[in-house]
Amino acid sequence: VTRFASGITWLSAAGAYGWVFNNCKVQFCTTGVAPLGENNVFMGGLIGNNGTGISMTTATGAEVQAFGVGFDDNTTTAVNVGNNNARISMLGCRFENSGGGTDTYLTISAGAAVLLGGQFQSDTTSGTSTGFVQATGGVVTVDGVNVTAPTGRTFTQLFNVSSAVDQRSVFRPTISPGTQAITTATPLFPTADRKSTRLNSSHITI
């Protein structure tokens, strides 16, 4: 699926349940996927080179499970969750920007997002990022995601989380050996109270 305003979308709730997309590619669209309905599953494949990879901001009741999907070089954000009834779970998914796309991979203002395992990789070698995750609301779990960033890319924090994010959220990444995460004045990881720093250092090399 390539070069549409919306690559994959559902026009109505009727029948918008239980779809399985096996090893599909959705590329070069303004919005790659705009889900509607429950238990829609993506197995492998690529959602890349779009403006927004998956947009879950308007459809009430949208639900997506993604397994081993590659999110590469989306220019605005890879996944945008912004509806209280939107839910997405991502297992073993890979996020990268080797072609110059954004390294903001998850934007969430409402709803729920779960990321288990997989990879957040930035290939940008200069400039400043405010985080792989931009969270201003909702509930977020990021557990065991491998984080890789090159020397020269400055992160003010890996996860940019505001006080409006649900206190039950979990952020527990794995930092790849050799990755330099630069945090000069803001926390690398947010804590439960969103105020104090769990780790604050000018340079971390593991």
Side-chain angles (χ1 to χ4, degrees), residues 108-198:
I108 179 169
S109 57
V114 177
L115 295 94
L116 301 178
Q119 177 88 7
F120 281 166
Q121 180 170 326
S122 177
D123 296 314
T124 305
T125 58
S126 62
T128 300
S129 171
T130 57
F132 290 117
V133 175
Q134 306 290 325
T136 57
V139 185
V140 188
T141 295
V142 178
D143 199 349
V145 176
N146 195 46
V147 174
T148 303
T151 301
R153 184 61 165 168
T154 299
F155 282 82
T156 54
Q157 59 272 323
L158 294 184
F159 307 118
N160 187 7
V161 181
S162 79
S163 59
V165 172
D166 194 288
Q167 299 292 315
R168 294 167 293 182
S169 295
V170 175
F171 299 89
R172 191 163 50 195
T174 300
I175 309 296
S176 293
T179 292
Q180 295 195 14
I182 303 170
T183 67
T184 56
T186 52
L188 183 63
F189 309 118
T191 57
D193 60 13
R194 308 290 185 261
K195 297 176 182 178
S196 58
T197 60
R198 182 176 302 171

Side-chain angles (χ1 to χ4, degrees), residues 26 28-34 47-57 70-82 88 90 94-97 100-109 113 115 120 129-136 158 160:
V26 183
F28 304 107
C29 299
T30 304
T31 300
V33 181
I47 300 175
N49 309 100
N50 305 289
T52 297
I54 295 179
S55 178
M56 306 176 72
T57 58
F71 293 87
D72 290 358
D73 283 319
N74 297 288
T75 57
T76 301
T77 188
V79 176
N80 188 7
V81 183
I88 185 167
M90 293 167 278
R94 179 180 177 84
F95 299 78
E96 193 176 1
N97 65 335
T102 183
D103 53 16
T104 294
Y105 296 137
L106 172 64
T107 301
I108 179 169
S109 57
L115 295 94
F120 281 166
S129 171
T130 57
F132 290 117
V133 175
Q134 306 290 325
T136 57
L158 294 184
N160 187 7

Side-chain angles (χ1 to χ4, degrees), residues 10-19 35-40 61:
W10 288 256
L11 298 180
S12 69
Y17 295 86
W19 285 80
L36 178 66
E38 298 175 355
N39 198 33
N40 295 300

